[in-house]
mmCIF file of all heavy atoms in Angstrom:
data_model
loop_
_atom_site.group_PDB
_atom_site.id
_atom_site.type_symbol
_atom_site.label_atom_id
_atom_site.label_comp_id
_atom_site.label_asym_id
_atom_site.label_seq_id
_atom_site.Cartn_x
_atom_site.Cartn_y
_atom_site.Cartn_z
ATOM 1 N N ALA A 1378 101.659 103.767 60.585
ATOM 2 C CA ALA A 1378 102.783 103.838 61.515
ATOM 3 C C ALA A 1378 104.090 104.083 60.774
ATOM 4 O O ALA A 1378 104.951 104.838 61.240
ATOM 5 C CB ALA A 1378 102.865 102.556 62.329
ATOM 6 N N LYS A 1379 104.231 103.450 59.624
ATOM 7 C CA LYS A 1379 105.471 103.598 58.867
ATOM 8 C C LYS A 1379 105.622 105.012 58.283
ATOM 9 O O LYS A 1379 106.731 105.463 58.025
ATOM 10 C CB LYS A 1379 105.530 102.556 57.754
ATOM 11 C CG LYS A 1379 105.766 101.128 58.282
ATOM 12 C CD LYS A 1379 105.654 100.094 57.186
ATOM 13 C CE LYS A 1379 106.082 98.709 57.663
ATOM 14 N NZ LYS A 1379 105.329 98.217 58.812
ATOM 15 N N GLN A 1380 104.493 105.692 58.078
ATOM 16 C CA GLN A 1380 104.539 107.019 57.458
ATOM 17 C C GLN A 1380 104.476 108.158 58.469
ATOM 18 O O GLN A 1380 104.941 109.262 58.176
ATOM 19 C CB GLN A 1380 103.357 107.169 56.495
ATOM 20 C CG GLN A 1380 103.366 106.186 55.343
ATOM 21 C CD GLN A 1380 102.086 106.255 54.538
ATOM 22 O OE1 GLN A 1380 101.769 107.282 53.936
ATOM 23 N NE2 GLN A 1380 101.336 105.162 54.525
ATOM 24 N N THR A 1381 103.906 107.907 59.640
ATOM 25 C CA THR A 1381 103.657 108.989 60.580
ATOM 26 C C THR A 1381 104.940 109.689 61.012
ATOM 27 O O THR A 1381 105.999 109.059 61.141
ATOM 28 C CB THR A 1381 102.895 108.478 61.809
ATOM 29 O OG1 THR A 1381 102.539 109.582 62.628
ATOM 30 C CG2 THR A 1381 103.726 107.505 62.628
ATOM 31 N N ASP A 1382 104.814 110.980 61.274
ATOM 32 C CA ASP A 1382 105.960 111.726 61.794
ATOM 33 C C ASP A 1382 105.821 111.995 63.284
ATOM 34 O O ASP A 1382 106.728 112.549 63.905
ATOM 35 C CB ASP A 1382 106.175 113.035 61.031
ATOM 36 C CG ASP A 1382 104.953 113.942 61.055
ATOM 37 O OD1 ASP A 1382 103.900 113.534 61.596
ATOM 38 O OD2 ASP A 1382 105.035 115.059 60.512
ATOM 39 N N LEU A 1383 104.670 111.596 63.876
ATOM 40 C CA LEU A 1383 104.500 111.781 65.312
ATOM 41 C C LEU A 1383 103.407 110.859 65.827
ATOM 42 O O LEU A 1383 102.326 110.772 65.234
ATOM 43 C CB LEU A 1383 104.154 113.234 65.657
ATOM 44 C CG LEU A 1383 103.976 113.528 67.145
ATOM 45 C CD1 LEU A 1383 104.666 114.833 67.536
ATOM 46 C CD2 LEU A 1383 102.494 113.603 67.525
ATOM 47 N N ALA A 1384 103.689 110.178 66.916
ATOM 48 C CA ALA A 1384 102.687 109.340 67.573
ATOM 49 C C ALA A 1384 102.393 109.914 68.945
ATOM 50 O O ALA A 1384 103.313 110.283 69.685
ATOM 51 C CB ALA A 1384 103.170 107.906 67.694
ATOM 52 N N ILE A 1385 101.107 110.000 69.275
ATOM 53 C CA ILE A 1385 100.675 110.396 70.614
ATOM 54 C C ILE A 1385 100.231 109.128 71.318
ATOM 55 O O ILE A 1385 99.156 108.594 71.043
ATOM 56 C CB ILE A 1385 99.523 111.421 70.557
ATOM 57 C CG1 ILE A 1385 99.900 112.618 69.683
ATOM 58 C CG2 ILE A 1385 99.139 111.882 71.963
ATOM 59 C CD1 ILE A 1385 98.727 113.532 69.359
ATOM 60 N N ALA A 1386 101.077 108.604 72.180
ATOM 61 C CA ALA A 1386 100.783 107.362 72.903
ATOM 62 C C ALA A 1386 100.038 107.715 74.184
ATOM 63 O O ALA A 1386 100.509 108.532 74.979
ATOM 64 C CB ALA A 1386 102.072 106.618 73.224
ATOM 65 N N ILE A 1387 98.883 107.092 74.385
ATOM 66 C CA ILE A 1387 98.048 107.420 75.548
ATOM 67 C C ILE A 1387 97.804 106.149 76.361
ATOM 68 O O ILE A 1387 97.166 105.207 75.888
ATOM 69 C CB ILE A 1387 96.695 108.023 75.116
ATOM 70 C CG1 ILE A 1387 96.898 109.189 74.143
ATOM 71 C CG2 ILE A 1387 95.896 108.480 76.337
ATOM 72 C CD1 ILE A 1387 95.607 109.665 73.499
ATOM 73 N N GLY A 1388 98.340 106.111 77.566
ATOM 74 C CA GLY A 1388 98.071 104.999 78.460
ATOM 75 C C GLY A 1388 98.589 103.665 77.976
ATOM 76 O O GLY A 1388 97.934 102.643 78.152
ATOM 77 N N THR A 1389 99.760 103.646 77.382
ATOM 78 C CA THR A 1389 100.355 102.398 76.907
ATOM 79 C C THR A 1389 101.812 102.335 77.326
ATOM 80 O O THR A 1389 102.513 103.356 77.351
ATOM 81 C CB THR A 1389 100.257 102.256 75.377
ATOM 82 O OG1 THR A 1389 101.065 101.148 74.955
ATOM 83 C CG2 THR A 1389 100.708 103.502 74.651
ATOM 84 N N LYS A 1390 102.275 101.116 77.653
ATOM 85 C CA LYS A 1390 103.686 100.954 78.004
ATOM 86 C C LYS A 1390 104.552 100.751 76.771
ATOM 87 O O LYS A 1390 105.760 100.556 76.892
ATOM 88 C CB LYS A 1390 103.855 99.795 78.979
ATOM 89 C CG LYS A 1390 103.487 98.426 78.429
ATOM 90 C CD LYS A 1390 103.692 97.354 79.496
ATOM 91 C CE LYS A 1390 103.425 95.963 78.950
ATOM 92 N NZ LYS A 1390 103.625 94.915 79.974
ATOM 93 N N LEU A 1391 103.941 100.787 75.583
ATOM 94 C CA LEU A 1391 104.677 100.709 74.311
ATOM 95 C C LEU A 1391 105.539 99.442 74.241
ATOM 96 O O LEU A 1391 106.745 99.493 73.983
ATOM 97 C CB LEU A 1391 105.529 101.963 74.094
ATOM 98 C CG LEU A 1391 104.729 103.251 73.873
ATOM 99 C CD1 LEU A 1391 105.634 104.472 73.917
ATOM 100 C CD2 LEU A 1391 103.968 103.216 72.548
ATOM 101 N N ALA A 1392 104.878 98.314 74.442
ATOM 102 C CA ALA A 1392 105.571 97.032 74.355
ATOM 103 C C ALA A 1392 105.901 96.689 72.905
ATOM 104 O O ALA A 1392 105.422 97.339 71.963
ATOM 105 C CB ALA A 1392 104.706 95.935 74.981
ATOM 106 N N ASP A 1393 106.690 95.635 72.726
ATOM 107 C CA ASP A 1393 107.239 95.350 71.397
ATOM 108 C C ASP A 1393 106.171 95.018 70.357
ATOM 109 O O ASP A 1393 106.345 95.320 69.170
ATOM 110 C CB ASP A 1393 108.277 94.229 71.471
ATOM 111 C CG ASP A 1393 107.742 92.915 72.026
ATOM 112 O OD1 ASP A 1393 106.626 92.901 72.573
ATOM 113 O OD2 ASP A 1393 108.451 91.891 71.923
ATOM 114 N N PHE A 1394 105.060 94.415 70.773
ATOM 115 C CA PHE A 1394 104.022 94.108 69.788
ATOM 116 C C PHE A 1394 103.300 95.363 69.325
ATOM 117 O O PHE A 1394 102.702 95.382 68.246
ATOM 118 C CB PHE A 1394 103.022 93.089 70.353
ATOM 119 C CG PHE A 1394 103.339 91.685 69.931
ATOM 120 C CD1 PHE A 1394 104.254 90.926 70.647
ATOM 121 C CD2 PHE A 1394 102.748 91.108 68.824
ATOM 122 C CE1 PHE A 1394 104.573 89.633 70.265
ATOM 123 C CE2 PHE A 1394 103.056 89.817 68.423
ATOM 124 C CZ PHE A 1394 103.966 89.077 69.151
ATOM 125 N N THR A 1395 103.325 96.425 70.105
ATOM 126 C CA THR A 1395 102.729 97.698 69.694
ATOM 127 C C THR A 1395 103.634 98.429 68.717
ATOM 128 O O THR A 1395 103.170 99.005 67.729
ATOM 129 C CB THR A 1395 102.462 98.574 70.932
ATOM 130 O OG1 THR A 1395 101.492 97.935 71.756
ATOM 131 C CG2 THR A 1395 101.952 99.948 70.531
ATOM 132 N N THR A 1396 104.924 98.400 68.982
ATOM 133 C CA THR A 1396 105.870 99.192 68.192
ATOM 134 C C THR A 1396 106.534 98.405 67.071
ATOM 135 O O THR A 1396 107.365 98.961 66.354
ATOM 136 C CB THR A 1396 106.974 99.742 69.106
ATOM 137 O OG1 THR A 1396 107.746 98.639 69.624
ATOM 138 C CG2 THR A 1396 106.379 100.537 70.261
ATOM 139 N N GLY A 1397 106.177 97.123 66.902
ATOM 140 C CA GLY A 1397 106.917 96.302 65.952
ATOM 141 C C GLY A 1397 108.374 96.221 66.353
ATOM 142 O O GLY A 1397 109.279 96.317 65.512
ATOM 143 N N SER A 1398 108.589 96.033 67.671
ATOM 144 C CA SER A 1398 109.953 96.022 68.234
ATOM 145 C C SER A 1398 110.729 97.270 67.820
ATOM 146 O O SER A 1398 111.919 97.237 67.567
ATOM 147 C CB SER A 1398 110.711 94.753 67.818
ATOM 148 O OG SER A 1398 110.060 93.602 68.307
ATOM 149 N N TRP A 1399 110.025 98.385 67.721
ATOM 150 C CA TRP A 1399 110.566 99.693 67.341
ATOM 151 C C TRP A 1399 111.131 99.739 65.922
ATOM 152 O O TRP A 1399 111.979 100.569 65.601
ATOM 153 C CB TRP A 1399 111.600 100.180 68.366
ATOM 154 C CG TRP A 1399 110.886 100.642 69.591
ATOM 155 C CD1 TRP A 1399 110.726 99.962 70.751
ATOM 156 C CD2 TRP A 1399 110.135 101.854 69.734
ATOM 157 N NE1 TRP A 1399 109.915 100.669 71.620
ATOM 158 C CE2 TRP A 1399 109.545 101.840 71.020
ATOM 159 C CE3 TRP A 1399 109.901 102.952 68.907
ATOM 160 C CZ2 TRP A 1399 108.747 102.859 71.504
ATOM 161 C CZ3 TRP A 1399 109.103 103.980 69.387
ATOM 162 C CH2 TRP A 1399 108.531 103.935 70.670
ATOM 163 N N ALA A 1400 110.593 98.854 65.075
ATOM 164 C CA ALA A 1400 110.949 98.914 63.649
ATOM 165 C C ALA A 1400 109.771 99.422 62.823
ATOM 166 O O ALA A 1400 109.875 99.519 61.602
ATOM 167 C CB ALA A 1400 111.364 97.532 63.149
ATOM 168 N N ASN A 1401 108.653 99.747 63.476
ATOM 169 C CA ASN A 1401 107.425 100.081 62.754
ATOM 170 C C ASN A 1401 107.359 101.543 62.333
ATOM 171 O O ASN A 1401 106.545 101.906 61.491
ATOM 172 C CB ASN A 1401 106.195 99.753 63.619
ATOM 173 C CG ASN A 1401 105.088 99.117 62.809
ATOM 174 O OD1 ASN A 1401 105.332 98.558 61.748
ATOM 175 N ND2 ASN A 1401 103.867 99.211 63.296
ATOM 176 N N PHE A 1402 108.212 102.399 62.908
ATOM 177 C CA PHE A 1402 108.143 103.841 62.629
ATOM 178 C C PHE A 1402 109.342 104.223 61.766
ATOM 179 O O PHE A 1402 110.435 104.455 62.269
ATOM 180 C CB PHE A 1402 108.119 104.624 63.943
ATOM 181 C CG PHE A 1402 107.004 104.192 64.859
ATOM 182 C CD1 PHE A 1402 107.270 103.398 65.971
ATOM 183 C CD2 PHE A 1402 105.696 104.549 64.597
ATOM 184 C CE1 PHE A 1402 106.253 102.989 66.808
ATOM 185 C CE2 PHE A 1402 104.669 104.145 65.435
ATOM 186 C CZ PHE A 1402 104.940 103.356 66.539
ATOM 187 N N GLU A 1403 109.120 104.274 60.468
ATOM 188 C CA GLU A 1403 110.229 104.405 59.513
ATOM 189 C C GLU A 1403 110.521 105.842 59.100
ATOM 190 O O GLU A 1403 111.549 106.110 58.483
ATOM 191 C CB GLU A 1403 109.940 103.556 58.270
ATOM 192 C CG GLU A 1403 109.849 102.059 58.568
ATOM 193 C CD GLU A 1403 109.620 101.228 57.316
ATOM 194 O OE1 GLU A 1403 109.528 101.815 56.215
ATOM 195 O OE2 GLU A 1403 109.523 99.984 57.435
ATOM 196 N N ASN A 1404 109.632 106.766 59.442
ATOM 197 C CA ASN A 1404 109.863 108.170 59.080
ATOM 198 C C ASN A 1404 111.057 108.695 59.864
ATOM 199 O O ASN A 1404 111.083 108.634 61.099
ATOM 200 C CB ASN A 1404 108.606 108.993 59.392
ATOM 201 C CG ASN A 1404 108.676 110.412 58.835
ATOM 202 O OD1 ASN A 1404 109.723 111.047 58.837
ATOM 203 N ND2 ASN A 1404 107.539 110.895 58.369
ATOM 204 N N GLU A 1405 112.071 109.213 59.156
ATOM 205 C CA GLU A 1405 113.297 109.657 59.833
ATOM 206 C C GLU A 1405 113.045 110.848 60.753
ATOM 207 O O GLU A 1405 113.849 111.151 61.640
ATOM 208 C CB GLU A 1405 114.381 110.004 58.813
ATOM 209 C CG GLU A 1405 114.031 111.143 57.875
ATOM 210 C CD GLU A 1405 115.144 111.444 56.892
ATOM 211 O OE1 GLU A 1405 116.072 110.618 56.774
ATOM 212 O OE2 GLU A 1405 115.068 112.499 56.239
ATOM 213 N N ASN A 1406 111.901 111.532 60.569
ATOM 214 C CA ASN A 1406 111.567 112.683 61.406
ATOM 215 C C ASN A 1406 110.582 112.321 62.531
ATOM 216 O O ASN A 1406 110.011 113.209 63.161
ATOM 217 C CB ASN A 1406 110.957 113.798 60.546
ATOM 218 C CG ASN A 1406 111.928 114.305 59.498
ATOM 219 O OD1 ASN A 1406 113.092 114.560 59.801
ATOM 220 N ND2 ASN A 1406 111.461 114.429 58.256
ATOM 221 N N PHE A 1407 110.420 111.044 62.771
ATOM 222 C CA PHE A 1407 109.430 110.585 63.748
ATOM 223 C C PHE A 1407 109.719 111.124 65.146
ATOM 224 O O PHE A 1407 110.853 111.140 65.603
ATOM 225 C CB PHE A 1407 109.421 109.055 63.783
ATOM 226 C CG PHE A 1407 108.515 108.477 64.834
ATOM 227 C CD1 PHE A 1407 107.144 108.433 64.642
ATOM 228 C CD2 PHE A 1407 109.037 107.975 66.025
ATOM 229 C CE1 PHE A 1407 106.310 107.899 65.613
ATOM 230 C CE2 PHE A 1407 108.208 107.439 66.999
ATOM 231 C CZ PHE A 1407 106.838 107.402 66.792
ATOM 232 N N LYS A 1408 108.643 111.574 65.814
ATOM 233 C CA LYS A 1408 108.713 112.033 67.194
ATOM 234 C C LYS A 1408 107.617 111.332 68.002
ATOM 235 O O LYS A 1408 106.629 110.844 67.449
ATOM 236 C CB LYS A 1408 108.530 113.557 67.277
ATOM 237 C CG LYS A 1408 109.618 114.360 66.580
ATOM 238 C CD LYS A 1408 110.938 114.256 67.326
ATOM 239 C CE LYS A 1408 112.002 115.170 66.723
ATOM 240 N NZ LYS A 1408 112.418 114.704 65.374
ATOM 241 N N LEU A 1409 107.797 111.323 69.315
ATOM 242 C CA LEU A 1409 106.865 110.617 70.191
ATOM 243 C C LEU A 1409 106.447 111.514 71.345
ATOM 244 O O LEU A 1409 107.291 112.108 72.026
ATOM 245 C CB LEU A 1409 107.529 109.348 70.733
ATOM 246 C CG LEU A 1409 106.732 108.500 71.721
ATOM 247 C CD1 LEU A 1409 105.492 107.920 71.049
ATOM 248 C CD2 LEU A 1409 107.610 107.381 72.288
ATOM 249 N N VAL A 1410 105.136 111.607 71.556
ATOM 250 C CA VAL A 1410 104.559 112.231 72.744
ATOM 251 C C VAL A 1410 103.866 111.124 73.527
ATOM 252 O O VAL A 1410 103.082 110.361 72.963
ATOM 253 C CB VAL A 1410 103.547 113.341 72.374
ATOM 254 C CG1 VAL A 1410 102.783 113.813 73.615
ATOM 255 C CG2 VAL A 1410 104.252 114.512 71.693
ATOM 256 N N SER A 1411 104.170 111.014 74.806
ATOM 257 C CA SER A 1411 103.611 109.919 75.597
ATOM 258 C C SER A 1411 102.859 110.466 76.811
ATOM 259 O O SER A 1411 103.458 111.078 77.691
ATOM 260 C CB SER A 1411 104.715 108.963 76.055
ATOM 261 O OG SER A 1411 104.170 107.842 76.713
ATOM 262 N N ILE A 1412 101.559 110.233 76.829
ATOM 263 C CA ILE A 1412 100.708 110.621 77.954
ATOM 264 C C ILE A 1412 100.502 109.395 78.819
ATOM 265 O O ILE A 1412 99.928 108.406 78.374
ATOM 266 C CB ILE A 1412 99.346 111.155 77.455
ATOM 267 C CG1 ILE A 1412 99.530 112.369 76.550
ATOM 268 C CG2 ILE A 1412 98.440 111.487 78.628
ATOM 269 C CD1 ILE A 1412 98.252 112.805 75.853
ATOM 270 N N ASN A 1413 100.971 109.468 80.055
ATOM 271 C CA ASN A 1413 100.843 108.305 80.929
ATOM 272 C C ASN A 1413 100.892 108.758 82.371
ATOM 273 O O ASN A 1413 101.678 109.639 82.738
ATOM 274 C CB ASN A 1413 101.955 107.291 80.666
ATOM 275 C CG ASN A 1413 101.562 105.882 81.051
ATOM 276 O OD1 ASN A 1413 101.329 105.593 82.225
ATOM 277 N ND2 ASN A 1413 101.475 105.010 80.059
ATOM 278 N N VAL A 1414 100.063 108.151 83.195
ATOM 279 C CA VAL A 1414 100.047 108.494 84.611
ATOM 280 C C VAL A 1414 101.304 108.001 85.314
ATOM 281 O O VAL A 1414 101.672 108.501 86.375
ATOM 282 C CB VAL A 1414 98.778 107.917 85.273
ATOM 283 C CG1 VAL A 1414 98.880 106.407 85.412
ATOM 284 C CG2 VAL A 1414 98.471 108.583 86.598
ATOM 285 N N SER A 1415 101.993 107.043 84.690
ATOM 286 C CA SER A 1415 103.235 106.511 85.237
ATOM 287 C C SER A 1415 104.434 107.235 84.632
ATOM 288 O O SER A 1415 104.604 107.253 83.413
ATOM 289 C CB SER A 1415 103.340 105.008 84.947
ATOM 290 O OG SER A 1415 104.650 104.541 85.171
ATOM 291 N N ARG A 1416 105.263 107.811 85.473
ATOM 292 C CA ARG A 1416 106.470 108.480 85.000
ATOM 293 C C ARG A 1416 107.367 107.511 84.241
ATOM 294 O O ARG A 1416 107.976 107.872 83.227
ATOM 295 C CB ARG A 1416 107.213 109.069 86.204
ATOM 296 C CG ARG A 1416 108.609 109.588 85.894
ATOM 297 C CD ARG A 1416 109.307 110.071 87.165
ATOM 298 N NE ARG A 1416 109.323 109.051 88.200
ATOM 299 C CZ ARG A 1416 110.218 108.053 88.260
ATOM 300 N NH1 ARG A 1416 111.134 107.930 87.319
ATOM 301 N NH2 ARG A 1416 110.179 107.178 89.241
ATOM 302 N N TYR A 1417 107.423 106.275 84.722
ATOM 303 C CA TYR A 1417 108.272 105.261 84.090
ATOM 304 C C TYR A 1417 107.854 105.039 82.638
ATOM 305 O O TYR A 1417 108.692 105.002 81.734
ATOM 306 C CB TYR A 1417 108.171 103.957 84.884
ATOM 307 C CG TYR A 1417 109.036 102.836 84.363
ATOM 308 C CD1 TYR A 1417 110.358 102.702 84.773
ATOM 309 C CD2 TYR A 1417 108.534 101.894 83.465
ATOM 310 C CE1 TYR A 1417 111.156 101.674 84.302
ATOM 311 C CE2 TYR A 1417 109.324 100.857 82.988
ATOM 312 C CZ TYR A 1417 110.627 100.754 83.413
ATOM 313 O OH TYR A 1417 111.410 99.733 82.939
ATOM 314 N N ASP A 1418 106.560 104.865 82.408
ATOM 315 C CA ASP A 1418 106.072 104.603 81.059
ATOM 316 C C ASP A 1418 106.113 105.846 80.176
ATOM 317 O O ASP A 1418 106.397 105.767 78.978
ATOM 318 C CB ASP A 1418 104.648 104.053 81.109
ATOM 319 C CG ASP A 1418 104.596 102.620 81.618
ATOM 320 O OD1 ASP A 1418 105.547 101.868 81.373
ATOM 321 O OD2 ASP A 1418 103.598 102.253 82.267
ATOM 322 N N ALA A 1419 105.817 106.996 80.749
ATOM 323 C CA ALA A 1419 105.739 108.223 79.957
ATOM 324 C C ALA A 1419 107.090 108.639 79.382
ATOM 325 O O ALA A 1419 107.151 109.274 78.328
ATOM 326 C CB ALA A 1419 105.166 109.360 80.806
ATOM 327 N N ASN A 1420 108.168 108.280 80.052
ATOM 328 C CA ASN A 1420 109.494 108.746 79.635
ATOM 329 C C ASN A 1420 110.268 107.734 78.803
ATOM 330 O O ASN A 1420 111.448 107.927 78.530
ATOM 331 C CB ASN A 1420 110.309 109.131 80.874
ATOM 332 C CG ASN A 1420 109.895 110.483 81.423
ATOM 333 O OD1 ASN A 1420 110.290 111.522 80.911
ATOM 334 N ND2 ASN A 1420 109.067 110.466 82.467
ATOM 335 N N LYS A 1421 109.624 106.657 78.384
ATOM 336 C CA LYS A 1421 110.309 105.665 77.572
ATOM 337 C C LYS A 1421 110.653 106.221 76.192
ATOM 338 O O LYS A 1421 109.930 107.052 75.638
ATOM 339 C CB LYS A 1421 109.435 104.425 77.401
ATOM 340 C CG LYS A 1421 109.311 103.559 78.646
ATOM 341 C CD LYS A 1421 108.361 102.401 78.397
ATOM 342 C CE LYS A 1421 108.253 101.492 79.609
ATOM 343 N NZ LYS A 1421 107.245 100.425 79.400
ATOM 344 N N HIS A 1422 111.739 105.738 75.623
ATOM 345 C CA HIS A 1422 112.098 105.965 74.221
ATOM 346 C C HIS A 1422 112.227 107.450 73.888
ATOM 347 O O HIS A 1422 111.821 107.901 72.820
ATOM 348 C CB HIS A 1422 111.091 105.281 73.298
ATOM 349 C CG HIS A 1422 110.960 103.816 73.558
ATOM 350 N ND1 HIS A 1422 111.947 102.904 73.253
ATOM 351 C CD2 HIS A 1422 109.968 103.107 74.143
ATOM 352 C CE1 HIS A 1422 111.558 101.693 73.621
ATOM 353 N NE2 HIS A 1422 110.373 101.787 74.170
#
Side-chain angles (χ1 to χ4, degrees):
K1379 288 173 172 58
Q1380 298 172 63
T1381 187
D1382 57 356
L1383 181 136
I1385 306 169
I1387 308 170
T1389 170
K1390 64 180 184 180
L1391 293 170
D1393 59 348
F1394 263 85
T1395 296
T1396 65
S1398 298
W1399 285 100
N1401 221 22
F1402 305 104
E1403 297 182 0
N1404 189 322
E1405 62 180 13
N1406 298 314
F1407 175 77
K1408 297 290 186 291
L1409 177 65
V1410 170
S1411 185
I1412 301 171
N1413 205 296
V1414 72
S1415 166
R1416 170 184 54 82
Y1417 182 87
D1418 288 328
N1420 283 281
K1421 287 177 178 176
H1422 303 290

